[in-house]
Amino acid sequence: MDRDRQSGFTLVELVVMIVLASILSAFAMVKLLDRRVIDARGFADQMTAALQFAQKAAVAQRRTMYVSVDTAARRVRVCLDGACTQPLTAPEGGNLDYTASSNVTLTSSTAQFSIDALGRPSFAATQSMTAAGGDATYTITIEADTGYVHRS
């Protein structure tokens, strides 16, 4: 006599899966709610894009662009003059003048540098800037010879 067997989960298996899913989602929520990590990543992305745009603008306009890094104020500015009184206009409007939130720590190996009309930075050795928040650190590197900007 074959009985019709129904396949599926037992009530105990369902309860165990719900408990496991709840525990995993609690750990994921802690990571997602840590604004410091999100802010640091966003600021690092903004700095990378601003520096890449500054290099391209310097080559396209055949002029020197200046970058000012104020670690105390957590601020990075791209300007048309050394005193930074004329900020460079961003492609989407506004200026290339970014200030990180108070959750982010900004460090830099140089306070001010320029990018010449060939896209080369004014320093002789590779430079880096770091945006850190929470347990995340993002480093933006500017290669000395080429001006290539990348984030790691």
Side-chain angles (χ1 to χ4, degrees):
M1 232 192 220
D2 280 334
R3 292 179 103 184
D4 289 333
R5 289 197 78 175
Q6 293 183 349
S7 61
F9 297 106
T10 65
L11 182 59
V12 172
E13 291 171 330
L14 285 174
V15 169
V16 168
M17 290 305 297
I18 290 171
V19 167
L20 287 175
S22 299
I23 292 169
L24 289 175
S25 65
F27 283 115
M29 286 302 286
V30 169
K31 282 287 194 191
L32 289 175
L33 293 177
D34 190 0
R35 287 290 310 172
R36 297 174 298 172
V37 173
I38 295 168
D39 290 346
R41 171 70 186 262
F43 189 65
D45 288 345
Q46 282 181 328
M47 283 194 308
T48 303
L51 293 171
Q52 288 171 339
F53 181 74
Q55 183 191 31
K56 290 178 176 146
V59 172
Q61 296 177 17
R62 295 184 182 154
R63 66 180 297 172
T64 302
M65 299 293 166
Y66 298 88
V67 178
S68 172
V69 182
D70 184 351
T71 56
R74 300 173 316 280
R75 184 178 188 184
V76 176
R77 300 177 79 190
V78 179
C79 303
L80 300 172
D81 62 328
C84 249
T85 58
Q86 298 175 311
L88 182 63
T89 303
E92 69 275 357
N95 296 326
L96 290 179
D97 184 354
Y98 299 107
T99 303
S101 72
S102 59
N103 295 330
V104 176
T105 303
L106 175 64
T107 57
S108 177
S109 53
T110 185
Q112 186 170 8
F113 62 94
S114 61
I115 301 170
D116 69 14
L118 295 176
R120 299 175 303 197
S122 59
F123 40 78
T126 298
Q127 302 289 323
S128 64
M129 288 187 268
T130 304
D135 59 355
T137 301
Y138 302 98
T139 302
I140 296 88
T141 304
I142 307 151
E143 303 294 336
D145 296 331
T146 60
Y148 177 64
V149 179
H150 55 97
R151 184 181 56 80
S152 57

